[in-house]
Amino acid sequence: MKGLAITGGLLGIILPLFAQLFAMIDDSYTFGNIGFLGVISGIVALIGAFQINKRSKLAVTLLIISSIVGYYSVAIFYLIPAIITMIAGVLLLFKISR
């Protein structure tokens, strides 16, 4: 589960950065430079991945929020990292609730 969250976080950094650098995201439809919010969401997902063993509830919150905010920021380019981090967050949530 930790590996899944780390993979989602790394993809969450790489894919929005790739989309922003190659101008696949146009700034005319968003507020300023919201594409880098996807990169920040990837960093938050990585922080959540490293908190899985220490503070599980915080990790669940960070993983789920980072997937939602990342998908909001760059939409289709964050779809794969959002799904991966959401799966890791939901699995961890079910593990905590048992």
Side-chain angles (χ1 to χ4, degrees), residues 10 16 23 27 47 82-83 88:
L10 288 176
D27 285 345
I47 292 170
I83 290 172

Side-chain angles (χ1 to χ4, degrees), residues 5-72:
I6 290 173
T7 303
L10 288 176
L11 284 175
I13 292 171
I14 294 169
L15 292 179
L17 191 60
F18 177 78
Q20 191 74 7
L21 291 176
F22 289 107
M24 293 177 190
I25 301 173
D26 189 19
D27 285 345
S28 62
Y29 299 109
T30 60
F31 299 108
N33 229 353
I34 201 166
F36 284 109
L37 186 60
V39 176
I40 294 170
S41 296
I43 293 169
V44 170
L46 279 177
I47 292 170
F50 290 120
Q51 294 297 319
I52 286 177
N53 295 332
K54 297 175 188 172
R55 293 182 270 178
S56 299
K57 291 180 183 178
L58 176 68
V60 167
T61 305
L62 289 176
L63 290 172
I64 292 175
I65 287 181
S66 72
S67 64
I68 292 169
V69 171
Y71 183 74
Y72 171 73

